[in-house]
Amino acid sequence: MVAIAIRSQSNETVDAVRERLCALFPDDAAEVTRQITLAVACAEHLNIKVTPELLENLVTEHLRAKVAAKPPRFRMPPAIPLGRV
């Protein structure tokens, strides 16, 4: 697991948020960690206090947006029954 240095929060808090988000997005554990790192870096750069609620909400919205932006999978058209054209 990647250690994230956060001035305003302990690593235990970040790990708890990461665990909850990995449970919500099990296929994207690496992306969860990446988004948490980015969110913390951005918030600290802007001098915004990083709270667990803020971190979880921000990362959840980013991940939901990424999931919604994925194109639908290619689907085969339904088969036409024999005798009907």
Side-chain angles (χ1 to χ4, degrees), residues 13-81:
T13 302
V14 174
D15 289 340
V17 171
R18 181 184 297 116
E19 287 177 20
R20 285 195 299 272
L21 292 176
C22 283
L24 287 173
F25 301 95
D27 297 336
D28 292 333
E31 186 64 20
V32 168
T33 301
R34 180 178 167 275
Q35 289 294 329
I36 288 173
T37 304
L38 289 173
V40 168
C42 289
E44 287 186 346
H45 173 73
L46 296 170
N47 291 323
I48 298 172
K49 183 180 178 192
V50 181
T51 64
E53 295 81 19
L54 173 71
L55 184 60
E56 188 168 351
N57 290 338
L58 184 61
V59 174
T60 300
E61 289 303 315
H62 277 128
L63 292 171
R64 284 183 180 158
K66 287 184 76 109
V67 169
K70 290 181 182 178
R73 292 185 178 174
F74 179 77
R75 294 185 183 130
M76 295 296 294
I80 299 173

